[in-house]
Amino acid sequence: MFFHIVLERNMQLHPRHFGRDLRDKLVAKLMKDVEGTCSGRHGFIVAITGIESVGKGLIRDGTGFVTFPVKYNCVVFRPFKGEILEAVVTMVNKMGFFAEAGPVQIFVSNHLIPDDMEFQSGDMPNYTTSDGSVKIQKDSEVRLKIIGTRVDATEIFCIGTIKDDFLGVISDPGATS
Amino acid sequence: MASIEPFNRLVKLAARAFYDDITTKGENQPKAGRSDNRGIAVVILDALTRRQWVREEDLAKDLKLHTKQLRRTLRFFEEEKLVTRDHRKETSKGAKIYNAAVAATVDGQKTGREGDEKQKMHTQSYCCLDYAQIYDVVRYRLHRMKKKLKDELESKNTVQEYICPNCNKRYTALDALRLISPNDEYFHCESCNGILVAESDKLAAQELGDGDDNASRRRHDKLKDMLTKMEEQLKPLMDQLARVKDLPVPEFGSLQAWELRANAAGRVGNGELNANDPSKSLHGLGFGGTPMPYVGETKVEVAFSGTDEKGDVKSVNTNTPMKVLPPWMIKEGMNLTKEQRGETKPEAKMGGSLTTSELSDDKKSANVQDEEKNIQV
């Protein structure tokens, strides 16, 4: 789920940037550092929407670097257990398939794929129903439900299921019919 | 507290439902026959329903069990949160205080412990049923059983586990990222690179019978079967839980508190007949040396604050009334309760009291009457 929250970070700035554009340089550095990273507590930081405040800079002893505490608004994405997401399949395996929903990877094991779908290996391994009507292969879009998340310090990984009602393939990749 | 009876029934039902095959022998001693003591847990729990705080050695003696066996079972119960235990160092004097407390509550139990240890400090262990926790624990257990079956039935939201057959290392589906291999389509163990095997459903064993399409349906049916059988067999227990739900839970408090209460109540209840009663009482030692003659129960009239509970407990344990004194014994100025004067109807209600306690009571009441004679004279 997406959230819009205020986060704080201490940014270090080299003296060569001091001058008229100090604040802009600071913001640019912040964006470069933070956008696209993931923290276990807040989730993936998708985009910075604005700066709330920049505190007083503190000159570090020994070097000329200055540390500014910056408060900024940003959009974060954090998956939760029980959430329903759409994802794109990236890899199909005998043990299940991997899908991606934005920055987060989700694994659906074959135990949580409906029983009537069988694995078929080949150059394009896929899961398909007995009558061939529904097929899950690379680049298919599926709707899945998250049943567990594993949150490390800088990494989030999920497992999901498509065995419930209204879950499963949304659309096939354009190539195959 | 009349409400102890439904709770006792709950304990008995739960004991027979869940603990009737607990054995205290380790798994590596598969002795059957004479030394097979499965079911002893039920006996112990039943015995505890008839007592409050009890010393473990006394309980072992009453039940004719080895102390070690009893302790092991009680330790098991303590872990299951059914009983609370208290261990404290005591001299023989302290032990007698406890004995007096017990006698004041329970029907004529002649406990031993006649001061054989002089002034040594022994660690005595006491145990008591914890009714509030028992109620919660039983409900939680039932809830977990049902949840497990239901989850397997709908096979929803179970995190898949994987085992390496070579080194027996376990993984969950959450580790899947680390387990994929570039070569083939299986998961590989991190240490030995063996191919991992998915662990099947715990409850419904996978039968590799004919045709995989049957296996899942058979699993489903088996689980459903288990669920219905469980509901039906546990129905009495669940009914008892419902009945007990709104009742106040019997509370004995800590060992110290209970002892104080029991001794105080015992003393007050028998205050009227307090004379130099000889060793009819327990070992002659109580608080401050006050003798505690054991008389009949059911102090309905004594509204002594703080011992209401005490009085109720006593009434449940033995429903014997105070003996009615014949009119020729009653003199002016005697401090008797209404019961003893034979005036009120509670006596009639308790006319149908337990006869089992009457034997011991007769002896005691005879003593009481002797006492009366002494006083009068």
Side-chain angles (χ1 to χ4, degrees), chain B residues 53 92 161:
Chain B
W53 276 101
S92 50
E161 290 194 341

Side-chain angles (χ1 to χ4, degrees), chain A residues 9-37:
Chain A
R9 191 181 166 91
N10 292 329
M11 299 297 310
Q12 280 207 355
L13 205 57
H14 189 277
R16 72 163 166 264
H17 303 301
F18 295 173
R20 192 177 40 168
D21 304 323
L22 174 75
R23 195 188 162 93
D24 296 333
K25 293 246 171 71
L26 190 63
V27 171
K29 186 158 196 287
L30 176 73
M31 288 184 156
K32 200 161 53 118
D33 273 358
V34 156
E35 275 182 1
T37 60

Side-chain angles (χ1 to χ4, degrees), chain B residues 86-210:
Chain B
D86 195 5
H87 309 278
R88 61 177 194 194
K89 287 206 180 309
E90 260 180 9
T91 59
S92 50
K93 228 188 202 177
K96 284 174 183 169
I97 295 179
Y98 164 74
N99 289 340
V102 166
T105 56
V106 180
D107 175 24
Q109 203 176 333
K110 302 253 199 246
T111 45
R113 205 112 325 237
E114 281 281 347
D116 26 356
E117 310 101 303
K118 293 310 166 193
Q119 285 297 38
K120 286 185 283 186
M121 294 288 266
H122 283 269
T123 304
Q124 307 277 0
S125 299
Y126 298 80
C127 60
C128 167
L129 281 176
D130 189 345
Y131 289 102
Q133 268 192 329
I134 287 179
Y135 172 63
D136 286 335
V137 157
V138 171
R139 265 199 321 164
Y140 184 59
R141 199 185 177 117
L142 285 176
H143 175 256
R144 291 285 310 210
M145 284 166 74
K146 273 187 229 157
K147 184 170 186 303
K148 192 157 185 202
L149 279 173
K150 282 206 191 119
D151 277 353
E152 292 270 0
L153 208 49
E154 306 161 21
S155 60
K156 70 157 66 171
N157 307 344
T158 44
V159 179
Q160 182 81 325
E161 290 194 341
Y162 300 98
I163 311 184
C164 175
N166 296 349
C167 57
N168 278 341
K169 200 154 173 214
R170 302 182 75 97
Y171 299 94
T172 70
L174 291 161
D175 305 318
L177 260 184
R178 315 184 285 176
L179 305 172
I180 44 174
S181 125
N183 311 333
D184 70 6
E185 300 184 326
Y186 292 97
F187 284 159
H188 287 258
C189 175
E190 274 185 320
S191 30
C192 65
N193 221 29
I195 293 186
L196 298 185
V197 172
E199 189 179 351
S200 44
D201 287 343
K202 291 123 198 159
L203 282 183
Q206 299 255 26
E207 296 140 12
L208 300 167
D210 45 342

Side-chain angles (χ1 to χ4, degrees), chain B residues 126-315:
Chain B
Y126 298 80
C127 60
C128 167
L129 281 176
D130 189 345
Y131 289 102
Q133 268 192 329
I134 287 179
Y135 172 63
D136 286 335
V137 157
V138 171
R139 265 199 321 164
Y140 184 59
R141 199 185 177 117
L142 285 176
H143 175 256
R144 291 285 310 210
M145 284 166 74
K146 273 187 229 157
K147 184 170 186 303
K148 192 157 185 202
L149 279 173
K150 282 206 191 119
D151 277 353
E152 292 270 0
L153 208 49
E154 306 161 21
S155 60
K156 70 157 66 171
N157 307 344
T158 44
V159 179
Q160 182 81 325
E161 290 194 341
Y162 300 98
I163 311 184
C164 175
N166 296 349
C167 57
N168 278 341
K169 200 154 173 214
R170 302 182 75 97
Y171 299 94
T172 70
L174 291 161
D175 305 318
L177 260 184
R178 315 184 285 176
L179 305 172
I180 44 174
S181 125
N183 311 333
D184 70 6
E185 300 184 326
Y186 292 97
F187 284 159
H188 287 258
C189 175
E190 274 185 320
S191 30
C192 65
N193 221 29
I195 293 186
L196 298 185
V197 172
E199 189 179 351
S200 44
D201 287 343
K202 291 123 198 159
L203 282 183
Q206 299 255 26
E207 296 140 12
L208 300 167
D210 45 342
D212 279 336
D213 36 325
N214 265 348
S216 63
R217 205 172 347 121
R218 256 183 290 152
R219 242 185 303 149
H220 191 93
D221 289 339
K222 190 166 165 198
L223 287 169
K224 256 196 142 141
D225 228 14
M226 243 193 258
L227 190 57
T228 41
K229 265 199 287 188
M230 183 193 106
E231 297 271 336
E232 161 202 331
Q233 286 171 1
L234 288 179
K235 191 158 170 359
L237 182 59
M238 297 199 271
D239 287 343
Q240 190 64 24
L241 272 175
R243 252 174 270 152
V244 143
K245 186 165 61 133
D246 297 314
L247 298 172
V249 180
E251 191 63 49
F252 300 129
S254 76
L255 183 57
Q256 261 94 340
W258 177 81
E259 264 184 0
L260 285 170
R261 254 195 320 211
N263 283 332
R267 222 177 334 143
V268 163
N270 306 325
E272 301 127 355
L273 314 161
N274 201 6
N276 305 333
D277 199 285
S279 64
K280 178 62 208 65
S281 78
L282 275 298
H283 320 291
L285 252 202
F287 283 116
T290 312
M292 267 166 276
Y294 178 75
V295 196
E297 301 286 297
T298 319
K299 313 285 185 284
V300 180
E301 259 70 55
V302 179
F304 188 80
S305 67
T307 58
D308 287 338
E309 220 177 309
K310 206 31 247 14
D312 284 342
V313 164
K314 285 164 68 168
S315 73

Side-chain angles (χ1 to χ4, degrees), chain B residues 14-23 37-42:
Chain B
R16 282 158 182 76
F18 300 129
Y19 298 112
D20 66 349
D21 55 355
I22 301 292
T23 170
N37 66 343
R38 267 177 284 170
I40 202 68
V42 178

